Amino acid sequence: MTYFRPKNKPKQQHVSLGWGQTQLDTEAGIGIYARQSTLAQVKNYRQSTEMQTDDLIAFAKQLGWKEEGIILFTQDLAKSGTLRIDQREGLRSLIEHIEAGEIKTVLVFLEDRLFRDETGIQYNVFIDVCKRHGVVVITPHMTYDFANPFHVKQFRWRCEEAADYLRDYVFHRLHGARNRILESGKWAGRAIPIGYIVDSRESIIVEGSVVPNPTYRKFIPYEPHANIVRWLFKRYWEIGGRVRPLCRELYQLAFLFPEFAEDVDISKYLSFYQLKRVPGGFHLSRHGLTGLLTNVAYIGYWVHQGEVVKKGNHEPIVDEELFWYAFNRLSPYTITGERNEKKNGYTRYTRKEPIPALLKYAISSREGGRVYVTTSGLTDQPIYVIEERGQDLVLKYHAATPCKEIDTLFANRLVEHLKQTTRFEHYHEYGEQLVQERHQLIKSIDDQLAEIDKQMDGIVDSLSLPRIKKAKEDEKQTRTLKQKLAERYAKLEEQKEELEKKRATLLKDETPQKLMAYYTLADRIAEDWENIPFADRQALANGLVKGVYLDEMTAHWLRLEVEWLDPQWGTERTYIFRCKSAHKEWTEAENDNIKTLYPDAPREELLQTLPRRTWAGIIIQARKLGVQRHNLKSFCDIPQTLSLEDIAFMKEAGIAVDETSCHKWESVDPPRSSA
């Protein structure tokens, strides 16, 4: 017997998350947008990020979606919710999927993961897009259907609440409290000029009574270094205000500043004047010396946000006549911000051409920091500098490597791919894809500009309302309201100017057209790469990749990763070995270990105690410290140029000990079909 069954109908899931029931289309795609609030959360709480995303996926499945219908947008994990849509790749991609009709539902952990926008421009643009395409937004506590005016109001309120928290608590309360402390002439956690320390005593005893300390949180002289600061100003005057002879004189010294006392936190000093640790103390760079000789803190001035806010704030340690002699000769500007006409003129070398770095506009970091291009102070050769954000979100120097080496590795790999590729028909599609991406970006900017114009018109209308014109009985209230509206209008004008500038830049950019022209000659590029003008090679490098990432893995190893635009090439990486370690500064603990262990301990024990140091580096440092080693036989098979940290990394990465000079490329993920 045949049993006739009704055909399967698209599943309609009803949920009651918030006010009333909302019908969900589980046959259409669902977009999950995941973003951590801060970069520190991404780096230090990766497990939390994964749990949040996994929970959202599980929640989507619980609501009725199949795994193939779930699209993740995680590109903005390390980006702020205050950024505009055009500045956030993941959010922009989410909106593109919505406008293409591929997504009818958006799932997000909280509204503030989408927006913390003070102006309301960004979330109003998002609401409009979702409303036009019938898209529902789900959070664990509320489901938003923007066809419902109450849902629109509720979503806006949640986003405004997130922006208010960011402004009122983080900026105004936390940053505001810090600024108020700094404006009063007290220290609140910034670098401290050498020669001073901060007085941390809240109270002192005067004539047997406990009284508030008048210098609490203020600079007080640290005489072991203050005496040297005084001598530097005097010596600069004695030699006729010449920096180079003074630098040569200082370099003859074993050290300039002696070690700090044990109870002083030296981290606040090392970066201020580029202090360099040497046996017995610290030296000062030429740039640091110039900074020291022009710092008004030494005559008791207190500077906040680039302006002198208080004179006589703390005890001066330099005679004013000596100070102004140095300041007027070295500082390019006066203390009021005007150009210093008294400064000695000199011709300075300036580069007329851009720094020749092939990957300048494409290279970044996987680890949440940044990679930028500059030139080496010693050779004037271009270098890539890798910076990484610490837990305090401050970018800190990690490593540097010549641009030429990285660019050559990349270019050689690109040429290899071009030589091995036999079909170039799909390259024109890539050019069209770039044009389409630019079109989408311009559309996003246009939507924001339209919302800005709407809000600016609203402010103009508000200023012309009768209650503002006639409220003469309360002029103070009227002035406050007008001031707030004027401030908001100024913010909108600023955003509008920035967006219009970006739009104009995008329209002028000829890279996509140039790339499309080269795609028609792709089979000849590999053979003629070096003869292509540098600007065009740079444009090709930008156009043929989704991203290039350079990161430090150990003191001697860098990782170069390339995410190619061509799906057949996939994402690849290689590792670069540097003979010179990035960790040049030796800590006191490391030096103590050398003094204790180097004379008699086996090599293996020293390497285990100093896991980031090589045996060759240990030998050199021991010689500097004057430590002799007895003739000990060693059966250690670790090469002298590798540390235990290097060995562990190489083992994990599958690199043989003898492969330090070999650059092998490996696939990070399987190449995708070009279909």
Side-chain angles (χ1 to χ4, degrees), residues 593-612:
N593 283 325
I594 288 180
K595 293 173 184 177
T596 304
L597 300 175
Y598 186 75
D600 301 300
R603 184 194 294 185
E604 295 89 337
E605 184 178 349
L606 269 160
L607 290 173
Q608 288 172 358
T609 306
L610 304 169
R612 69 174 187 168

Side-chain angles (χ1 to χ4, degrees), residues 429-486:
E429 298 174 9
Y430 296 157
E432 291 179 339
Q433 180 183 335
L434 289 175
V435 173
Q436 181 63 22
E437 287 178 359
R438 188 176 69 174
H439 172 74
Q440 291 289 347
L441 191 54
I442 291 173
K443 185 180 183 305
S444 170
I445 291 173
D446 287 341
D447 289 343
Q448 293 176 64
L449 287 171
E451 179 63 29
I452 288 174
D453 286 339
K454 188 191 300 181
Q455 291 196 23
M456 291 174 77
D457 290 343
I459 291 173
V460 172
D461 292 341
S462 297
L463 287 169
S464 62
L465 287 175
R467 66 173 179 269
I468 292 183
K469 287 184 175 180
K470 296 179 180 179
K472 294 181 179 179
E473 66 279 1
D474 194 349
E475 292 184 4
K476 184 177 180 182
Q477 183 179 354
T478 303
R479 284 198 303 270
T480 302
L481 179 58
K482 286 185 175 180
Q483 183 180 352
K484 287 182 178 179
L485 288 171

Side-chain angles (χ1 to χ4, degrees), residues 288-501:
L289 176 63
T290 304
L292 185 151
L293 292 171
T294 55
N295 191 339
V296 294
Y298 292 121
I299 55 173
Y301 287 20
W302 183 256
V303 176
H304 178 54
Q305 295 182 344
E307 294 183 3
V308 175
V309 295
K310 205 170 185 182
K311 298 180 180 180
N313 180 69
H314 49 268
E315 183 181 343
I317 60 176
V318 175
D319 178 77
E320 282 211 28
E321 188 175 351
L322 283 175
F323 174 81
W324 291 117
Y325 174 84
F327 182 91
N328 289 333
R329 294 180 70 89
L330 295 173
S331 177
Y333 296 96
T334 67
I335 61 172
T336 57
E338 299 165 353
R339 185 166 292 280
N340 182 11
E341 302 298 336
K342 297 180 182 179
K343 183 179 182 296
N344 286 350
Y346 63 93
T347 302
R348 181 174 179 145
Y349 168 77
T350 55
R351 181 181 293 278
K352 295 181 180 179
E353 299 296 329
I355 299 175
L358 185 69
L359 301 172
K360 179 179 180 179
Y361 303 109
I363 200 162
S364 60
S365 167
R366 284 284 196 201
E367 300 301 318
R370 70 164 180 161
V371 180
Y372 65 89
V373 177
T374 185
T375 53
S376 167
L378 297 175
T379 64
D380 198 43
Q381 294 301 308
I383 56 175
Y384 291 119
V385 176
I386 305 170
E387 289 186 331
E388 187 174 335
R389 293 185 190 272
Q391 294 186 11
D392 55 0
L393 299 185
V394 176
L395 283 167
K396 298 177 181 177
Y397 170 87
H398 262 237
T401 193
C403 292
K404 185 177 180 180
E405 181 179 5
I406 303 300
D407 290 349
T408 301
L409 269 173
F410 171 86
N412 289 345
R413 189 57 176 167
L414 171 60
V415 169
E416 281 181 39
H417 278 305
L418 291 172
K419 286 181 177 179
Q420 293 168 5
T421 301
T422 57
R423 293 177 61 253
F424 292 97
E425 301 85 40
H426 58 287
Y427 270 43
H428 188 75
E429 298 174 9
Y430 296 157
E432 291 179 339
Q433 180 183 335
L434 289 175
V435 173
Q436 181 63 22
E437 287 178 359
R438 188 176 69 174
H439 172 74
Q440 291 289 347
L441 191 54
I442 291 173
K443 185 180 183 305
S444 170
I445 291 173
D446 287 341
D447 289 343
Q448 293 176 64
L449 287 171
E451 179 63 29
I452 288 174
D453 286 339
K454 188 191 300 181
Q455 291 196 23
M456 291 174 77
D457 290 343
I459 291 173
V460 172
D461 292 341
S462 297
L463 287 169
S464 62
L465 287 175
R467 66 173 179 269
I468 292 183
K469 287 184 175 180
K470 296 179 180 179
K472 294 181 179 179
E473 66 279 1
D474 194 349
E475 292 184 4
K476 184 177 180 182
Q477 183 179 354
T478 303
R479 284 198 303 270
T480 302
L481 179 58
K482 286 185 175 180
Q483 183 180 352
K484 287 182 178 179
L485 288 171
E487 288 174 357
R488 184 174 179 80
Y489 195 91
K491 280 186 178 180
L492 292 170
E493 272 191 324
E494 185 179 339
Q495 281 202 29
K496 183 176 181 179
E497 183 180 352
E498 187 177 340
L499 285 165
E500 286 178 337
K501 185 177 180 181

Side-chain angles (χ1 to χ4, degrees), residues 57-75:
I57 293 171
F59 188 37
K61 290 180 178 178
Q62 181 184 340
L63 292 174
W65 272 273
K66 295 179 181 178
E67 191 163 341
E68 57 268 23
I70 299 173
I71 306 174
L72 289 176
F73 298 89
T74 57
Q75 301 98 317

Side-chain angles (χ1 to χ4, degrees), residues 88 113 162 172 205 222 235 278 364 476 510 610 663 670:
R88 290 154 69 185
R113 293 299 183 267
H172 291 179
I205 299 176
Y222 180 66
R235 186 62 186 146
V278 294
S364 60
K476 184 177 180 182
E510 296 181 356
L610 304 169
H663 301 293

